[in-house]
Amino acid sequence: MSAPMRHVSQSCQRRILSCIRLTGNDESNARIFSAFSTYFTSKKTVLGIETSCDDTGAAVVDNGGRVLGEALKSQIKIHVEAGGILPPVARNLHVESIGGVVQEALDRASMTVHDVDAVSVTVEPGLALCLKVGLDHAKSLVRLSGKPLIPIHHMQAHALTARMTNRVDFPFLVLLISGGHCLLTVARDVADFVLLGESLDDAPGEAFDKIARQLNLKNLPQFTSVSGGVAIETMARQGDPKSFDLPLMLTQVRTCDFSFSGLKSQAKRIIAHEEKRQGVSRDDVLPNAADICASFQYGVLKHLARRVQRSLLFCELSGLLPKHNKTLVVSGGVGSNQFIRTGLQKLCDMYSTHLICPPPRLCTDNGVMIAWNGIEKLLSGQNFSAANPEAVDFQPKCPIGEDISSSVRDAAIKLPPLKLL
Ligand code: KG4
Ligand code: ZN
C-alpha cells in the first residue's frame, strides 16, 4: 500500500472500494478490492483528547503509530505571567480552545469523528476542573458519532508513548518526571503497572518552575513564554554544575521514593544569599544565575539517578525485568531535559540497560500520547471501552498501579558509588 493511501479518510475509502467494485469484475480487480478491503478494515484510528493540566491537546493516531493529525494549545505564557497555574483560569482556557483544537486535529487528518474507531480521553489524574472539560467534550463527540469512549490514565499514557516511537516490549522500567508527578514504575502490560516509588513532596518540574521564578528568568526576553524547566536547562548550558553544592536527598532512606523540597529550599537560600552578596534587586537576574541553574539541575539529576539505580537493582533482585534486554523509559516534561537524559544514559550503560526517551515534544503533555494509549487499549484484546460513556467520571487522584514501594523499602538495597560527571 502506498504511503499516501494510509491517510485516506474512511468515507473516501468507502468510495474507492465501491468504484473498484463498480468498474470491473475481472480477477485482478477482485484482487485489488480484496487488498484494499483487508488494509482498510485492519487499520485502526483513535482520536485522543488531553486537558488534564495546562495543555489542550488532540490528535488522531493509527495503529502503526502514525500521527495523522495533531493540534496543541499551550497555556504556558499565561501561567508563567500569573506565577503559577490557577485551576479556574486553566479551565476557562481549555473551554475556549477545546472545540478548535479537536477540529484542527481531525482536519489535519482529513477525517471527521465518524471516521475514527474510538475517542480516548484523559480522565485521571489531573486538575478536576480541567479534566472535566476534556471529558465533557469527548462525551459530546461519542454521543454524536456512536463511537466507543476509552478512558485514559495520564501517567500510563506518558509511560506508553515510548512504544509508539520505539520498539519496547513489556515489561519495562519507567521514570516519569513532570510538573505534577515523579514516579518509578514497571509497565507489565497496557494497563498493568506496579509502583516502586514516588515523590514524597514536590515533583521535579514544580521545583524547576519555582527556582526559575525565584531567579526571575521570565524577565529575560528569551524565557517569557517557556516553562521554568526549559529556562533553567538553557541557562545551565553556560554554567558550572559544580559551582554550588546542593544536598543529595534521602540518602539514608533505602527506597525508590523521591524528595525535591530540600533541594528547592537550599537553592532558594543560595539565590537569596547571592542577591544579598552581589547587591542585586529581587526583580533582577543574578549575574551568576547560570551557575545556580547548572548546580540545581545537577542536584536533580543526582537524586533521580540514585533512585533509578536502586530500582534497577530491585528489579534484578525481584525478577520484575528480564535479565537481558532491560529497558528504562524516561518521560514527562522533565524527561525532555538533555542534561538529565545524558546523565541517565551513563547510569544505563553501567547497568546494561537500554534508555528510551520519546522526542521532547512527546514528553510534555500532548494529545498524541492519549490517542496512542487508546490504540494500545483498542488492540489489546481486552475491552477498555466504557460500557456507558455518559457514566464515565474523572478522578483528580488515581495511582498508576499496585504500590509495591514497601517491598522496595524491605529490600533496603545499599547503593554502590555512582559518578555522573
Ligand atoms: O509532562 P508535563 O508537560 O506536564 C505535567 O504533567 O506536569 O511537564 C511539565 C513540566 C514543567 O514543570 C516544566 O518546567 C518541566 O516539565 N519541563 C522541564 C523541561 N521541559 C519541561 N524541566 C526540565 N527541563 C526541561 N527541558
Ligand atoms: Zn504530563
Side-chain angles (χ1 to χ4, degrees):
M1 186 67 55
S2 70
M5 289 308 295
R6 297 181 193 282
H7 303 281
V8 176
S9 72
Q10 282 189 355
S11 49
C12 196
Q13 291 167 21
R14 279 193 296 275
R15 279 206 300 280
I16 293 171
L17 290 176
S18 62
C19 282
I20 297 168
R21 212 193 318 254
L22 287 173
T23 52
N25 50 11
D26 63 5
E27 204 186 317
S28 70
N29 271 359
R31 270 210 309 278
I32 295 169
F33 179 79
S34 151
F36 267 95
S37 38
T38 310
Y39 174 76
F40 286 147
T41 48
S42 62
K43 183 179 163 178
K44 299 281 180 215
T45 54
V46 170
L47 166 68
I49 298 175
E50 158 65 33
T51 63
S52 67
C53 188
D54 58 347
D55 292 293
T56 318
V60 180
V61 172
D62 75 7
N63 50 324
R66 281 166 291 259
V67 180
L68 307 184
E70 185 192 358
L72 186 68
K73 182 103 175 68
S74 168
Q75 308 175 352
I76 187 86
K77 198 169 187 315
I78 290 151
H79 299 313
V80 167
E81 274 162 18
I85 300 174
L86 295 170
V89 174
R91 184 258 325 268
N92 293 350
L93 292 167
H94 283 306
V95 170
E96 255 172 46
S97 309
I98 186 80
V101 164
V102 168
Q103 195 52 51
E104 200 175 323
L106 286 166
D107 287 349
R108 288 190 174 151
S110 305
M111 291 172 124
T112 72
V113 68
H114 298 280
D115 296 323
V116 298
D117 293 283
V119 176
S120 59
V121 60
T122 308
V123 297
E124 59 198 11
L127 299 171
L129 293 175
C130 299
L131 288 167
K132 185 173 184 319
V133 178
L135 179 57
D136 285 350
H137 195 79
K139 281 182 184 175
S140 70
L141 290 173
V142 302
R143 213 176 290 133
L144 179 83
S145 61
K147 300 290 175 178
L149 181 77
I150 306 179
I152 302 292
H153 188 290
H154 181 84
M155 305 311 286
Q156 293 183 357
H158 268 305
L160 298 194
T161 309
R163 283 168 50 84
M164 188 184 107
T165 54
N166 296 75
R167 168 89 204 265
V168 185
D169 294 328
F170 294 114
F172 56 94
L173 181 64
V174 189
L175 171 68
L176 288 178
I177 36 179
S178 72
H181 299 273
C182 182
L183 54 88
L184 269 163
T185 180
V186 175
R188 298 194 293 200
D189 204 342
V190 174
D192 178 8
F193 290 71
V194 288
L195 180 71
L196 303 180
E198 63 189 331
S199 180
L200 305 174
D201 41 57
D202 296 344
E206 210 178 334
F208 269 104
D209 293 337
K210 287 193 177 141
I211 297 306
R213 211 174 306 142
Q214 191 86 5
L215 283 167
N216 300 312
L217 297 185
K218 74 169 170 30
N219 294 348
L220 298 175
Q222 65 271 38
F223 300 136
T224 49
S225 48
V226 297
S227 68
V230 169
I232 290 190
E233 180 179 14
T234 312
M235 285 293 285
R237 287 194 200 112
Q238 321 300 327
D240 173 7
K242 292 190 174 166
S243 46
F244 292 95
D245 212 15
L246 284 141
L248 190 55
M249 307 308 298
L250 301 181
T251 45
Q252 306 304 315
V253 188
R254 292 182 184 166
T255 65
C256 288
D257 290 331
F258 302 83
S259 167
F260 292 93
S261 70
L263 196 64
K264 187 187 68 186
S265 307
Q266 178 61 9
K268 280 184 169 180
R269 272 195 290 275
I270 290 172
I271 296 167
H273 178 264
E274 287 297 303
E275 281 172 349
K276 204 165 159 201
R277 188 178 69 80
Q278 301 186 56
V280 170
S281 98
R282 296 206 64 164
D283 289 337
D284 285 338
V285 178
L286 280 163
N288 59 343
D291 282 342
I292 299 175
C293 289
S295 304
F296 173 72
Q297 186 177 248
Y298 181 39
V300 173
L301 166 66
K302 279 192 287 188
H303 182 47
L304 292 173
R306 292 300 263 174
R307 309 324 264 184
V308 174
Q309 186 183 17
R310 180 170 287 111
S311 71
L312 285 167
L313 293 171
F314 178 77
C315 287
E316 202 173 295
L317 199 74
S318 57
L320 272 171
L321 291 179
K323 270 202 160 34
H324 304 287
N325 272 326
K326 287 191 287 287
T327 298
L328 167 69
V329 167
V330 178
S331 195
V334 183
S336 61
N337 183 298
Q338 284 302 332
F339 178 80
I340 290 175
R341 286 184 177 194
T342 306
L344 293 175
Q345 182 66 62
K346 267 194 189 158
L347 173 74
C348 285
D349 291 346
M350 287 164 59
Y351 287 88
S352 308
T353 300
H354 303 288
L355 174 67
I356 307 278
C357 307
R361 67 178 187 85
L362 292 179
C363 277
T364 45
D365 291 352
N366 62 81
V368 173
M369 68 182 196
I370 306 305
W372 172 251
N373 203 168
I375 288 280
E376 290 250 40
K377 286 188 163 173
L378 205 60
L379 300 181
S380 68
Q382 303 164 61
N383 186 9
F384 287 105
S385 303
N388 175 7
E390 292 300 333
V392 173
D393 209 352
F394 56 85
Q395 301 291 335
K397 287 198 181 347
C398 181
I400 195 168
E402 187 195 346
D403 183 350
I404 60 162
S405 57
S406 58
S407 308
V408 179
R409 180 182 290 273
D410 292 346
I413 297 168
K414 189 168 181 310
L415 297 178
L418 177 65
K419 200 163 160 42
L420 293 166
L421 279 187

